[in-house]
């Protein structure tokens, strides 16, 4: 093989790697939560009803969340708890998959949640395993959303009585101040979580909240450039 052709192939490989790598995307003043190489600083919840065997891994500077076995999801959590902060991340989500970004999460996954689901409540503020006093809908997210591509999320969480704001691709989606702290015992800190929703139903009790079809076989949610600025 000619040297010129080898050089060109190496150049294309470098371009492909840089396209996935975490290079120059994190805003000034934010500290990375993800090193781009492995899941150091993160762990899979072993107590979540979503599942405890999800296929969570890092490839080309990207955290990928898939079900494993099919029907069983899970939650990937930061080892550290955070109280008041701004969170920045970039997400690329396959359609027909239900997941979310968890805020102030417990180990079992009780949290305020920004939903990641297309079709569905993309960008909406929900409660996971708890009732949220005041939710929100990202009613104009379709105006800025890039389907099948990377989208930026910036979430600001602050206050014992939480005020939560969401920007998607630099556009403010909602600004909500809860009437009260919705956590048990008024917790003011917790882990940041990335959720792959379960979809299997094994019992009549589970069928009361049937999520069959909420995760397309082989599909994934992907995240990169995850960083935080504590307030």
């Amino acid at each position: 093989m000619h040297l010129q052709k080898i050089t060109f192939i190496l150049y294309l490989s470098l371009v492909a790697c840089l396209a996935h790598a975490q290079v120059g995307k994190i805003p000034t003043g934010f500290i990375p939560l993800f090193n781009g190489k492995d899941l150091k600083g993160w762990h899979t919840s072993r107590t979540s009803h979503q599942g405890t065997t999800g296929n969570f891994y890092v490839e080309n500077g990207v955290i990928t969340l898939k079900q494993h076995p099919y029907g069983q999801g899970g939650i990937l959590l930061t080892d550290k708890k955070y109280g008041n902060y701004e969170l920045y991340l970039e997400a690329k989500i396959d359609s027909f998959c239900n997941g979310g970004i968890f805020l102030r999460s417990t180990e079992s996954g009780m949290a305020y949640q920004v939903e990641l689901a297309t079709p569905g409540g993309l960008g909406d503020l929900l409660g996971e395993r708890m009732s949220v006093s005041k939710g929100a809908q990202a009613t104009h997210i379709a105006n800025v959303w890039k389907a099948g591509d990377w989208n930026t999320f910036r979430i600001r969480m602050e206050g014992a009585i939480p005020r939560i704001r969401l920007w998607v691709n630099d556009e403010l989606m909602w600004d909500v101040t809860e009437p009260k702290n919705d956590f048990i015992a008024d917790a003011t800190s917790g882990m940041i979580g990335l959720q792959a929703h379960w979809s299997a139903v094994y019992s009549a009790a589970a069928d009361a909240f049937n999520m069959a079809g909420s995760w397309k076989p082989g599909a994934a949610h992907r995240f990169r450039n995850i960083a935080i600025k504590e307030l």
Side-chain angles (χ1 to χ4, degrees), residues 42-172:
W42 297 75
H43 66 278
T44 300
S45 170
R46 297 301 177 192
T47 62
S48 170
H49 72 290
Q50 301 291 338
T52 60
T53 60
N55 184 16
F56 305 156
Y57 61 92
V58 175
E59 187 175 42
N60 295 326
V62 174
I63 293 178
T64 299
L65 272 60
K66 293 183 177 181
Q67 289 188 340
H68 177 77
Y70 180 61
Q72 294 298 288
I75 309 169
L76 185 65
L77 297 165
T78 56
D79 293 342
K80 182 179 175 180
K81 293 182 178 182
Y82 299 91
N84 300 319
Y85 56 84
E86 280 194 24
L87 175 68
Y88 174 89
L89 60 79
E90 296 165 13
K92 183 178 181 181
I93 64 173
D94 288 346
S95 58
F96 300 100
C97 295
N98 186 299
I101 303 167
F102 285 11
L103 312 171
R104 293 185 181 174
S105 180
T106 66
E107 182 65 29
S108 63
M110 178 183 290
Y112 289 102
Q113 176 189 177
V114 175
E115 188 172 24
L116 300 178
T118 57
L122 182 64
D124 290 354
L125 175 63
L126 309 173
E128 179 68 23
R129 303 196 68 192
M130 69 178 189
S131 297
V132 170
S133 300
K134 186 177 181 181
Q137 292 183 317
T139 55
H140 61 284
I141 195 169
N143 297 336
V144 300
W145 187 254
K146 295 176 286 186
D149 203 348
W150 291 99
N151 293 272
T152 66
F153 286 74
R154 185 161 60 91
I155 304 165
R156 188 176 178 98
M157 165 71 105
E158 56 189 328
I161 306 297
R163 180 185 181 188
I164 313 171
R165 282 171 276 182
L166 170 68
W167 293 261
V168 175
N169 294 329
D170 297 321
E171 293 290 331
L172 180 66

